[in-house]
Each structure stands twice: as structure tokens, then as C-alpha cells.
Amino acid sequence: HDALPICLTGLVVTMCGTGWGAGVMKVKLCGLVMAGLLSVSGLQVARTSSVDLLWLSAGAAVRTAVHLGLGYSLELEAGVSAAFLRREFYTTLPSHVVEKTATISSLASLGLAYGF
């Protein structure tokens, strides 16, 4: 079967400890929570339909920061997140499941940060 078009738009709040490191590199353990809107569309059906659902998850990550100087740092974050609610999408009957949300999701981000 073809995968459904799915879009997750959300806000992630990450809380990190002080971490450890030396010189220009620092590693921190972090916890995170996410809230957002999961939008799904069914395009290969007689009548196109879509649904928007609440998404809530929590997880853990490791953040590595490399200080570049002048208050800037390059940060790489990787971790996992677990959804509070599992979603299933079906055609006409609940027994015809065409897609499911993952129970555990991986996440990664790379960014440039500036410290005040």
C-alpha cells in the first residue's frame, strides 16, 4: 500500500542539565516534551478527506555543542521520543488499517546557537 501524506507541526521544549566537557566541546543530557498537530490526508480514495489530530510525546536526547567563539556554538541533538497516544488510520472499516503512528520516534537536529 502507498503511505499516507502526513505532516506533523509542533513545538518542542528541551530541558538540559549542566553537562560535561572541556575546551570548546560540551555534552548535555536533555529531556523533551512535544505538542503539535498531526495532519493526515487520504488522496487515493473516491472522496478526498483529511483529519487533524493532537500529538503529544516525551523523550530524551543528547546535545553536543561546539563553541565557535563570540558567543556562537554549533549544536547537534539526537534522541528518541515516545508518543502518548497511538493513532491508526483506516479506509472504511477499523479492520482496514492503512497506516499507524510510530510508538517510538527518533529525532535529530543541527543548529547554530547564540548565547547572551
Side-chain angles (χ1 to χ4, degrees):
H1 63 82
D2 293 329
L4 295 174
I6 298 174
C7 177
L8 176 61
T9 305
L11 175 66
V12 178
V13 176
T14 306
M15 301 139 298
C16 299
T18 57
W20 62 94
V24 297
M25 185 179 283
K26 193 165 200 174
V27 177
K28 300 177 182 180
L29 294 178
C30 307
L32 58 97
V33 292
M34 179 178 186
L37 189 64
L38 182 67
S39 301
V40 182
S41 299
L43 302 176
Q44 297 180 348
V45 292
R47 186 184 52 149
T48 301
S49 61
S50 63
V51 64
D52 295 323
L53 302 167
L54 176 66
W55 178 267
L56 298 170
S57 64
V62 175
R63 179 181 291 170
T64 302
V66 177
H67 299 283
L68 304 173
L70 301 174
Y72 289 95
S73 61
L74 185 63
E75 294 186 349
L76 172 65
E77 188 172 294
V80 294
S81 180
F84 291 138
L85 302 171
R86 180 149 184 181
R87 305 291 190 172
E88 291 186 344
F89 305 96
Y90 53 89
T91 53
T92 53
L93 299 172
S95 60
H96 295 133
V97 174
V98 293
E99 200 66 69
K100 299 177 186 178
T101 57
T103 304
I104 303 289
S105 300
S106 59
L107 56 99
S109 67
L110 177 65
L112 182 65
Y114 178 75
F116 295 93

XYZ file of all heavy atoms in Angstrom:
837
model
N 0.829 -1.188 0.000
C 0.000 0.000 0.000
C 0.870 1.248 0.000
O 2.004 1.232 0.455
C -0.975 -0.005 1.187
C -0.300 0.026 2.526
N 0.150 1.206 3.078
C 0.019 -0.934 3.409
C 0.692 0.950 4.258
N 0.629 -0.339 4.466
N 0.332 2.344 -0.499
C 1.066 3.608 -0.513
C 0.915 4.304 0.827
O -0.133 4.245 1.455
C 0.531 4.534 -1.612
C 0.826 3.970 -2.994
O 1.851 3.281 -3.132
O 0.032 4.221 -3.911
N 1.959 4.957 1.243
C 1.931 5.680 2.516
C 1.022 6.907 2.401
O 0.856 7.474 1.328
C 3.334 6.108 2.898
N 0.435 7.279 3.506
C -0.418 8.458 3.546
C 0.431 9.712 3.682
O 1.459 9.694 4.346
C -1.355 8.379 4.761
C -2.372 7.264 4.782
C -3.094 7.248 6.116
C -3.370 7.443 3.660
N -0.011 10.827 3.078
C 0.685 12.102 3.322
C 0.420 12.550 4.765
O -0.725 12.761 5.144
C 0.051 13.073 2.332
C -0.751 12.243 1.390
C -1.043 10.955 2.074
N 1.481 12.648 5.554
C 1.356 13.018 6.965
C 2.273 14.196 7.251
O 3.425 14.211 6.824
C 1.727 11.833 7.880
C 0.781 10.663 7.649
C 1.716 12.245 9.338
C 1.156 9.407 8.390
N 1.755 15.174 7.971
C 2.554 16.346 8.347
C 2.394 16.568 9.850
O 1.273 16.610 10.360
C 2.073 17.570 7.572
S 2.938 19.080 8.020
N 3.505 16.694 10.551
C 3.485 16.976 11.984
C 4.071 18.362 12.210
O 5.218 18.617 11.855
C 4.294 15.930 12.754
C 4.430 16.150 14.258
C 3.073 16.148 14.933
C 5.333 15.091 14.872
N 3.277 19.249 12.760
C 3.715 20.599 13.094
C 3.626 20.728 14.608
O 2.553 20.523 15.180
C 2.828 21.658 12.431
O 2.797 21.416 11.025
C 3.344 23.047 12.706
N 4.746 21.032 15.245
C 4.701 21.061 16.695
C 5.737 21.969 17.319
O 6.582 22.551 16.637
N 5.639 22.069 18.602
C 6.568 22.839 19.410
C 7.252 21.870 20.368
O 6.579 21.112 21.071
C 5.823 23.916 20.204
C 6.653 24.730 21.186
C 7.675 25.586 20.425
C 5.762 25.611 22.031
N 8.577 21.887 20.373
C 9.354 21.020 21.254
C 10.042 21.889 22.300
O 10.659 22.899 21.968
C 10.422 20.232 20.465
C 11.258 19.374 21.404
C 9.780 19.377 19.398
N 9.915 21.503 23.556
C 10.626 22.168 24.649
C 11.658 21.174 25.166
O 11.313 20.065 25.555
C 9.660 22.599 25.776
C 10.435 23.190 26.936
C 8.624 23.568 25.247
N 12.924 21.594 25.128
C 14.025 20.740 25.570
C 14.634 21.331 26.837
O 14.915 22.522 26.888
C 15.112 20.650 24.469
O 14.501 20.241 23.255
C 16.189 19.667 24.855
N 14.821 20.498 27.853
C 15.409 20.916 29.126
C 16.683 20.111 29.343
O 16.633 18.888 29.365
C 14.427 20.669 30.267
C 13.123 21.423 30.082
S 11.628 20.504 30.503
C 11.614 19.150 29.384
N 17.807 20.806 29.456
C 19.102 20.131 29.569
C 19.768 20.414 30.907
O 19.601 21.496 31.476
C 20.037 20.588 28.454
S 19.429 20.220 26.798
N 20.557 19.453 31.361
C 21.365 19.632 32.556
C 22.616 20.435 32.232
O 22.799 20.896 31.106
N 23.491 20.579 33.203
C 24.695 21.378 33.001
C 25.681 20.708 32.059
O 26.426 21.369 31.366
C 25.389 21.673 34.343
O 25.672 20.444 34.978
C 24.525 22.549 35.209
N 25.711 19.400 32.028
C 26.574 18.675 31.101
C 28.012 18.606 31.541
O 28.392 19.030 32.625
N 28.830 18.060 30.660
C 30.238 17.945 30.926
C 31.009 18.128 29.624
O 30.481 17.965 28.541
C 30.572 16.607 31.581
C 30.261 15.410 30.739
C 31.114 14.762 29.909
C 29.015 14.735 30.610
N 30.484 13.724 29.279
C 29.178 13.688 29.700
C 27.760 14.903 31.181
C 28.158 12.810 29.327
C 26.733 14.043 30.817
C 26.939 13.015 29.915
N 32.236 18.501 29.747
C 33.083 18.708 28.581
C 34.266 19.579 28.936
O 34.364 20.110 30.040
N 35.147 19.710 27.977
C 36.339 20.522 28.183
C 36.649 21.273 26.896
O 36.304 20.825 25.806
C 37.520 19.633 28.563
N 37.269 22.415 27.040
C 37.638 23.186 25.861
C 36.422 23.727 25.130
O 35.533 24.314 25.729
N 36.372 23.475 23.848
C 35.305 24.047 23.027
C 34.089 23.137 22.903
O 33.078 23.522 22.327
C 35.823 24.388 21.605
C 36.900 25.450 21.670
C 36.317 23.151 20.885
N 34.147 21.903 23.435
C 33.031 20.962 23.280
C 32.366 20.668 24.615
O 33.041 20.518 25.633
C 33.507 19.662 22.648
C 32.370 18.704 22.353
S 32.932 17.181 21.574
C 33.196 17.756 19.928
N 31.028 20.588 24.587
C 30.259 20.261 25.785
C 29.131 19.313 25.401
O 28.494 19.484 24.360
C 29.689 21.526 26.418
C 29.145 21.311 27.801
C 28.939 22.622 28.502
C 28.871 22.390 29.988
N 28.810 23.601 30.751
N 28.859 18.305 26.246
C 27.797 17.321 26.019
C 26.813 17.420 27.181
O 27.215 17.478 28.340
C 28.372 15.891 25.923
C 27.265 14.872 25.757
C 29.360 15.792 24.770
N 25.511 17.438 26.831
C 24.460 17.536 27.852
C 23.402 16.468 27.619
O 23.073 16.147 26.472
C 23.766 18.889 27.772
C 24.658 20.076 27.987
C 23.869 21.363 27.802
C 24.752 22.571 27.965
N 24.001 23.823 27.799
N 22.855 15.930 28.711
C 21.692 15.052 28.634
C 20.453 15.923 28.787
O 20.415 16.808 29.638
C 21.741 13.993 29.727
C 22.881 12.985 29.614
C 22.847 12.026 30.797
C 22.793 12.224 28.313
N 19.434 15.655 27.967
C 18.244 16.506 27.944
C 16.968 15.670 27.980
O 16.936 14.534 27.513
C 18.224 17.346 26.661
S 19.729 18.287 26.352
N 15.932 16.265 28.509
C 14.586 15.726 28.424
C 13.793 16.639 27.503
O 14.105 17.822 27.366
N 12.762 16.098 26.845
C 11.976 16.935 25.947
C 10.511 16.536 25.965
O 10.166 15.392 26.246
C 12.532 16.879 24.517
C 12.607 15.515 23.848
C 11.400 15.279 22.969
C 13.859 15.448 23.017
N 9.668 17.507 25.698
C 8.233 17.282 25.520
C 7.821 17.975 24.223
O 8.384 19.001 23.853
C 7.387 17.799 26.705
C 7.645 16.991 27.954
C 7.637 19.258 26.970
N 6.842 17.382 23.552
C 6.376 17.942 22.288
C 4.865 17.929 22.242
O 4.222 16.969 22.655
C 6.914 17.136 21.114
C 6.461 17.648 19.779
S 7.195 16.669 18.461
C 6.644 17.612 17.063
N 4.297 19.028 21.738
C 2.863 19.122 21.490
C 2.694 19.657 20.078
O 3.436 20.547 19.653
C 2.192 20.056 22.499
N 1.758 19.100 19.358
C 1.592 19.556 17.989
C 0.317 19.053 17.354
O -0.555 18.479 18.005
N 0.253 19.267 16.042
C -0.897 18.894 15.243
C -0.441 17.926 14.164
O 0.457 18.244 13.374
C -1.511 20.143 14.602
C -2.835 19.968 13.900
C -3.922 19.562 14.892
C -3.218 21.259 13.208
N -1.031 16.739 14.147
C -0.735 15.718 13.155
C -1.822 15.794 12.091
O -2.993 15.567 12.382
C -0.728 14.338 13.823
C -0.402 13.142 12.958
C 1.049 13.211 12.492
C -0.644 11.863 13.736
N -1.454 16.154 10.857
C -2.404 16.287 9.755
C -2.195 15.148 8.770
O -1.076 14.916 8.313
C -2.217 17.618 9.030
O -2.401 18.689 9.911
N -3.285 14.444 8.444
C -3.229 13.294 7.551
C -4.274 13.477 6.470
O -5.408 13.882 6.744
C -3.496 11.982 8.321
C -3.400 10.781 7.418
C -2.558 11.855 9.496
N -3.903 13.153 5.217
C -4.836 13.254 4.095
C -4.917 11.922 3.381
O -3.912 11.257 3.170
C -4.365 14.320 3.092
O -4.307 15.577 3.693
N -6.117 11.549 2.984
C -6.346 10.356 2.178
C -6.599 10.787 0.749
O -7.648 11.343 0.452
N -5.638 10.569 -0.136
C -5.756 11.068 -1.504
C -6.195 10.007 -2.504
O -6.672 10.337 -3.575
C -4.411 11.660 -1.958
C -3.872 12.797 -1.093
C -2.506 13.224 -1.585
C -4.829 13.972 -1.110
N -6.038 8.735 -2.192
C -6.349 7.685 -3.151
C -7.656 6.994 -2.798
O -7.754 5.783 -2.780
C -5.197 6.699 -3.231
C -3.935 7.362 -3.742
C -2.795 6.394 -3.830
O -2.853 5.294 -3.326
N -1.742 6.805 -4.507
N -8.646 7.790 -2.531
C -9.973 7.287 -2.235
C -10.969 8.046 -3.101
O -10.639 9.058 -3.705
C -10.337 7.462 -0.736
C -9.471 6.568 0.125
C -10.193 8.892 -0.297
N -12.180 7.558 -3.186
C -13.191 8.210 -4.033
C -13.452 9.644 -3.587
O -13.661 10.533 -4.402
C -14.471 7.402 -4.009
N -13.421 9.879 -2.288
C -13.645 11.223 -1.753
C -12.447 11.592 -0.893
O -12.172 10.945 0.111
C -14.918 11.211 -0.909
C -15.334 12.569 -0.416
C -16.535 12.408 0.471
N -16.204 11.385 1.483
C -16.687 11.361 2.697
N -17.549 12.238 3.075
N -16.346 10.426 3.547
N -11.718 12.625 -1.291
C -10.543 13.056 -0.532
C -10.970 13.561 0.836
O -11.916 14.336 0.955
C -9.800 14.177 -1.288
O -9.414 13.678 -2.551
C -8.570 14.612 -0.529
N -10.288 13.106 1.851
C -10.602 13.556 3.213
C -9.308 13.772 3.976
O -8.263 13.248 3.626
C -11.477 12.522 3.923
O -10.792 11.298 4.020
N -9.392 14.572 5.017
C -8.231 14.817 5.865
C -8.691 14.923 7.310
O -9.863 15.156 7.588
C -7.503 16.093 5.438
O -8.338 17.201 5.597
N -7.723 14.764 8.208
C -8.028 14.834 9.626
C -6.836 15.476 10.335
O -5.694 15.287 9.936
C -8.347 13.425 10.202
C -7.140 12.517 10.104
C -8.850 13.514 11.619
N -7.109 16.276 11.350
C -6.085 16.892 12.188
C -6.247 16.362 13.607
O -7.344 16.411 14.161
C -6.229 18.416 12.197
C -5.981 19.026 10.830
O -5.103 18.526 10.114
O -6.668 20.000 10.487
N -5.163 15.853 14.171
C -5.199 15.236 15.497
C -4.135 15.834 16.403
O -3.063 16.245 15.947
C -4.940 13.726 15.371
C -5.895 12.950 14.472
C -5.343 11.567 14.184
C -7.255 12.857 15.121
N -4.404 15.856 17.683
C -3.444 16.322 18.681
C -2.308 15.312 18.798
O -2.536 14.103 18.815
C -4.146 16.476 20.037
C -3.258 16.875 21.214
C -2.709 18.279 21.002
C -4.048 16.793 22.507
N -1.079 15.808 18.873
C 0.099 14.964 19.052
C 0.801 15.381 20.344
O 1.079 16.555 20.552
C 1.061 15.148 17.882
C 2.313 14.339 18.041
C 3.492 14.765 18.606
C 2.518 12.993 17.668
N 4.405 13.752 18.588
C 3.835 12.648 18.021
C 1.707 12.031 17.080
C 4.360 11.393 17.788
C 2.246 10.781 16.849
C 3.546 10.478 17.199
N 1.067 14.426 21.218
C 1.794 14.671 22.461
C 2.846 13.582 22.623
O 2.538 12.398 22.446
C 0.851 14.636 23.664
C -0.255 15.686 23.697
C -1.242 15.372 24.806
C 0.333 17.063 23.883
N 4.071 13.976 22.955
C 5.119 12.979 23.179
C 6.153 13.527 24.159
O 6.198 14.722 24.430
C 5.790 12.589 21.857
O 6.458 13.691 21.283
N 6.972 12.629 24.675
C 8.064 12.993 25.581
C 9.236 12.078 25.291
O 9.057 10.964 24.780
C 7.626 12.854 27.032
N 10.443 12.547 25.601
C 11.599 11.714 25.320
C 12.874 12.248 25.943
O 12.847 13.088 26.842
N 13.982 11.753 25.418
C 15.306 12.127 25.905
C 16.235 12.334 24.719
O 16.041 11.739 23.662
C 15.861 11.044 26.823
N 17.238 13.173 24.916
C 18.192 13.461 23.848
C 19.560 13.759 24.444
O 19.696 14.060 25.626
C 17.718 14.651 23.018
N 20.565 13.690 23.598
C 21.929 14.093 23.936
C 22.259 15.275 23.039
O 22.083 15.202 21.820
C 22.930 12.944 23.703
C 24.345 13.426 23.931
C 22.604 11.762 24.596
N 22.705 16.361 23.636
C 23.082 17.561 22.884
C 24.584 17.768 22.991
O 25.144 17.792 24.076
C 22.354 18.785 23.427
C 22.726 20.072 22.692
C 22.029 21.264 23.260
N 20.604 21.172 22.966
C 19.687 21.990 23.505
N 20.062 22.935 24.350
N 18.424 21.856 23.202
N 25.221 17.912 21.838
C 26.652 18.201 21.776
C 26.825 19.592 21.198
O 26.299 19.888 20.124
C 27.386 17.171 20.890
O 27.152 15.871 21.418
C 28.875 17.444 20.864
N 27.538 20.441 21.914
C 27.768 21.820 21.464
C 29.256 22.044 21.250
O 30.076 21.666 22.084
C 27.232 22.807 22.488
N 29.579 22.641 20.113
C 30.955 23.030 19.810
C 30.970 24.551 19.773
O 30.315 25.162 18.928
C 31.425 22.446 18.468
C 32.839 22.926 18.151
C 31.357 20.931 18.487
N 31.688 25.168 20.706
C 31.732 26.625 20.800
C 32.633 27.182 19.706
O 33.793 26.800 19.575
C 32.190 27.056 22.194
C 31.251 26.590 23.260
N 30.049 27.200 23.507
C 31.328 25.546 24.116
C 29.419 26.557 24.468
N 30.178 25.546 24.867
N 32.068 28.102 18.914
C 32.786 28.678 17.774
C 33.461 30.003 18.107
O 34.290 30.479 17.345
C 31.809 28.870 16.602
C 31.062 27.625 16.142
C 30.024 27.986 15.100
C 32.017 26.572 15.629
N 33.072 30.615 19.216
C 33.605 31.916 19.601
C 32.590 33.018 19.414
O 31.579 32.851 18.722
N 32.815 34.163 20.060
C 31.916 35.320 20.020
C 30.488 34.985 20.447
O 29.531 35.591 19.992
C 31.904 35.943 18.615
C 33.261 36.434 18.101
C 33.135 36.880 16.661
C 33.797 37.554 18.975
N 30.321 33.981 21.322
C 29.006 33.607 21.826
C 28.263 32.593 20.968
O 27.193 32.134 21.336
N 28.806 32.205 19.829
C 28.148 31.253 18.929
C 28.616 29.830 19.186
O 29.756 29.595 19.565
C 28.442 31.603 17.467
C 27.751 32.849 16.995
C 28.403 34.078 17.031
C 26.449 32.799 16.531
C 27.771 35.233 16.605
C 25.808 33.948 16.097
C 26.474 35.158 16.134
O 25.842 36.289 15.717
N 27.709 28.877 18.947
C 28.073 27.465 19.026
C 27.241 26.680 18.009
O 26.137 27.070 17.642
C 27.862 26.910 20.433
O 26.519 26.995 20.806
N 27.804 25.588 17.555
C 27.130 24.661 16.659
C 26.621 23.523 17.522
O 27.407 22.919 18.267
C 28.102 24.155 15.602
C 27.537 23.270 14.501
C 26.520 24.055 13.666
C 28.654 22.744 13.623
N 25.307 23.227 17.456
C 24.728 22.219 18.339
C 24.095 21.090 17.528
O 23.333 21.334 16.589
C 23.673 22.839 19.247
C 24.267 23.828 20.234
C 23.265 24.343 21.247
O 22.056 24.110 21.073
O 23.704 24.984 22.213
N 24.431 19.866 17.913
C 23.849 18.664 17.332
C 23.094 17.951 18.442
O 23.643 17.722 19.519
C 24.938 17.751 16.762
C 24.474 16.382 16.286
C 23.528 16.513 15.086
C 25.667 15.511 15.929
N 21.836 17.626 18.176
C 20.995 16.956 19.177
C 20.401 15.708 18.544
O 19.905 15.758 17.416
C 19.891 17.911 19.632
C 19.080 17.400 20.798
C 18.140 18.469 21.338
O 18.635 19.476 21.860
O 16.921 18.276 21.212
N 20.447 14.576 19.246
C 19.868 13.324 18.770
C 19.217 12.610 19.943
O 19.726 12.653 21.062
C 20.942 12.449 18.137
N 18.082 11.961 19.681
C 17.399 11.266 20.759
C 16.201 10.478 20.282
O 16.049 10.201 19.077
N 15.346 10.127 21.222
C 14.118 9.383 20.935
C 12.957 10.030 21.671
O 13.133 10.679 22.703
C 14.230 7.892 21.339
C 15.258 7.174 20.497
C 14.540 7.740 22.803
N 11.767 9.823 21.122
C 10.549 10.372 21.713
C 9.454 9.316 21.646
O 9.342 8.597 20.644
C 10.129 11.625 20.930
O 8.967 12.181 21.475
N 8.647 9.225 22.695
C 7.544 8.259 22.748
C 6.215 9.010 22.738
O 6.017 9.935 23.518
C 7.650 7.408 24.018
N 5.331 8.598 21.845
C 4.017 9.224 21.732
C 3.124 8.775 22.884
O 3.150 7.615 23.296
C 3.374 8.848 20.408
N 2.331 9.703 23.411
C 1.378 9.356 24.468
C 0.164 8.625 23.904
O -0.426 7.792 24.568
C 0.912 10.611 25.210
C 1.986 11.249 26.041
C 2.136 12.615 26.064
C 2.858 10.499 26.810
C 3.117 13.225 26.832
C 3.848 11.078 27.577
C 3.969 12.455 27.583
N -0.226 8.959 22.669
C -1.364 8.336 22.014
C -0.921 7.694 20.713
O -0.206 8.317 19.938
C -2.440 9.383 21.693
C -2.999 10.167 22.876
C -3.888 11.299 22.368
C -3.794 9.242 23.775
N -1.345 6.486 20.464
C -1.039 5.821 19.198
C -2.229 6.025 18.267
O -3.372 5.829 18.649
C -0.794 4.344 19.420
C -0.485 3.670 18.123
C 0.422 2.543 18.280
N 0.702 2.068 16.932
C 1.453 1.070 16.683
N 2.016 0.428 17.653
N 1.659 0.697 15.458
N -1.950 6.429 17.041
C -3.004 6.709 16.063
C -2.977 5.658 14.962
O -1.919 5.247 14.507
C -2.811 8.092 15.439
C -2.715 9.219 16.435
C -4.016 9.466 17.129
N -3.929 10.709 17.904
C -4.957 11.264 18.488
N -6.142 10.712 18.421
N -4.813 12.375 19.166
N -4.173 5.224 14.528
C -4.314 4.323 13.394
C -5.251 4.970 12.388
O -6.232 5.616 12.768
C -4.894 2.977 13.829
C -3.954 2.150 14.664
C -4.504 0.769 14.958
O -5.729 0.547 14.784
O -3.712 -0.093 15.370
N -4.948 4.790 11.115
C -5.763 5.365 10.054
C -6.259 4.233 9.176
O -5.488 3.369 8.768
C -4.936 6.374 9.248
C -4.336 7.436 10.134
C -3.041 7.325 10.601
C -5.101 8.522 10.537
C -2.498 8.286 11.434
C -4.573 9.484 11.377
C -3.274 9.360 11.828
N -7.550 4.241 8.898
C -8.151 3.156 8.132
C -9.070 3.723 7.052
O -9.420 4.896 7.070
C -8.899 2.182 9.042
C -9.918 2.825 9.942
C -11.233 3.005 9.528
C -9.567 3.249 11.225
C -12.168 3.595 10.352
C -10.501 3.838 12.055
C -11.803 4.002 11.605
O -12.727 4.587 12.422
N -9.433 2.854 6.101
C -10.269 3.294 4.977
C -11.719 3.401 5.412
O -12.152 4.438 5.865
C -10.113 2.349 3.781
O -10.353 1.003 4.211
C -8.731 2.448 3.186
N -12.473 2.351 5.309
C -13.895 2.409 5.659
C -14.223 1.658 6.942
O -15.153 2.003 7.642
C -14.761 1.829 4.520
O -14.279 0.522 4.203
C -14.696 2.725 3.303
N -13.429 0.642 7.252
C -13.647 -0.161 8.455
C -12.400 -0.148 9.324
O -11.280 -0.141 8.805
C -13.966 -1.614 8.071
C -15.220 -1.836 7.233
C -15.281 -3.291 6.771
C -16.463 -1.485 8.039
N -12.563 -0.155 10.641
C -11.382 -0.178 11.512
C -10.454 -1.370 11.263
O -9.279 -1.322 11.591
C -11.977 -0.228 12.916
C -13.309 0.416 12.775
C -13.798 0.011 11.399
N -10.961 -2.419 10.655
C -10.116 -3.577 10.359
C -9.225 -3.345 9.131
O -8.307 -4.112 8.882
C -10.968 -4.825 10.144
O -11.850 -4.622 9.054
N -9.459 -2.278 8.373
C -8.669 -1.960 7.177
C -7.660 -0.846 7.486
O -7.709 0.226 6.897
C -9.565 -1.521 6.017
C -10.456 -2.598 5.526
N -11.791 -2.392 5.291
C -10.218 -3.893 5.235
C -12.331 -3.506 4.873
N -11.393 -4.438 4.832
N -6.745 -1.096 8.405
C -5.746 -0.104 8.800
C -4.751 0.089 7.656
O -4.194 -0.871 7.135
C -5.005 -0.540 10.084
C -3.879 0.418 10.421
C -5.993 -0.631 11.236
N -4.549 1.345 7.245
C -3.605 1.645 6.161
C -2.318 2.295 6.671
O -1.314 2.282 5.980
C -4.247 2.542 5.079
C -5.343 1.792 4.362
C -4.765 3.839 5.658
N -2.333 2.845 7.871
C -1.129 3.474 8.426
C -1.280 3.610 9.932
O -2.386 3.737 10.442
C -0.909 4.844 7.801
C 0.489 5.377 7.924
C 1.511 4.569 7.146
O 1.497 4.590 5.908
O 2.336 3.913 7.805
N -0.147 3.573 10.650
C -0.115 3.749 12.101
C 1.001 4.721 12.443
O 2.007 4.783 11.751
C 0.179 2.429 12.814
C -0.819 1.342 12.588
C -0.355 0.078 13.281
C -1.275 -1.077 12.940
N -0.827 -2.330 13.558
N 0.828 5.451 13.533
C 1.925 6.287 14.011
C 2.902 5.407 14.780
O 2.529 4.389 15.355
C 1.425 7.423 14.925
O 0.695 6.863 16.020
C 0.549 8.395 14.159
N 4.144 5.813 14.777
C 5.177 5.061 15.488
C 5.012 5.236 16.997
O 4.606 6.298 17.460
C 6.550 5.554 15.057
N 5.338 4.205 17.749
C 5.315 4.298 19.204
C 6.533 5.073 19.692
O 6.441 5.946 20.531
C 5.294 2.892 19.828
O 4.174 2.184 19.302
C 5.186 2.957 21.331
N 7.692 4.739 19.127
C 8.954 5.414 19.444
C 9.484 6.029 18.156
O 9.563 5.360 17.128
C 10.004 4.428 20.006
C 9.486 3.699 21.248
C 11.321 5.139 20.290
C 9.362 4.571 22.471
N 9.855 7.306 18.221
C 10.382 8.011 17.050
C 11.775 8.541 17.352
O 12.043 9.015 18.453
C 9.484 9.188 16.681
O 8.191 8.758 16.380
N 12.639 8.474 16.365
C 13.965 9.068 16.517
C 13.898 10.532 16.108
O 13.020 10.935 15.349
C 14.986 8.322 15.662
O 14.605 8.375 14.309
N 14.818 11.325 16.623
C 14.853 12.734 16.265
C 16.292 13.213 16.226
O 17.159 12.673 16.910
C 14.033 13.582 17.244
C 14.384 13.478 18.727
C 15.262 14.632 19.142
C 13.113 13.487 19.528
N 16.535 14.190 15.375
C 17.865 14.784 15.277
C 17.716 16.222 14.807
O 16.795 16.550 14.055
C 18.731 13.991 14.304
N 18.609 17.079 15.269
C 18.610 18.463 14.819
C 20.032 18.994 14.841
O 20.877 18.544 15.596
C 17.694 19.329 15.693
O 18.217 19.420 17.001
N 20.278 19.940 13.963
C 21.559 20.605 13.876
C 21.271 22.092 13.784
O 20.436 22.514 12.982
C 22.340 20.139 12.638
C 23.684 20.805 12.383
C 24.665 20.470 13.500
C 24.226 20.365 11.031
N 21.913 22.885 14.629
C 21.605 24.304 14.621
C 22.755 25.164 15.089
O 23.717 24.686 15.688
N 22.634 26.426 14.795
C 23.580 27.428 15.233
C 22.931 28.185 16.383
O 21.802 28.664 16.250
C 23.915 28.386 14.078
C 24.945 29.468 14.364
C 26.306 28.823 14.644
C 25.033 30.414 13.181
N 23.610 28.277 17.511
C 23.052 28.936 18.695
C 23.911 30.132 19.084
O 25.123 30.176 18.828
C 22.977 27.949 19.858
N 23.255 31.111 19.710
C 23.964 32.274 20.228
C 23.603 32.433 21.703
O 22.430 32.467 22.061
C 23.572 33.537 19.460
C 24.251 34.786 19.995
C 25.594 35.016 19.720
C 23.566 35.691 20.778
C 26.226 36.127 20.213
C 24.191 36.831 21.276
C 25.529 37.041 20.988
O 26.162 38.147 21.483
N 24.600 32.498 22.558
C 24.381 32.686 23.994
C 24.489 34.141 24.385
O 25.403 34.840 23.961
N 23.528 34.596 25.173
C 23.509 36.007 25.617
C 24.345 36.165 26.854
O 24.365 35.381 27.725
C 22.074 36.459 25.921
C 21.225 36.465 24.695
C 20.454 35.378 24.351
C 21.184 37.579 23.873
C 19.662 35.378 23.235
C 20.403 37.605 22.744
C 19.633 36.503 22.420
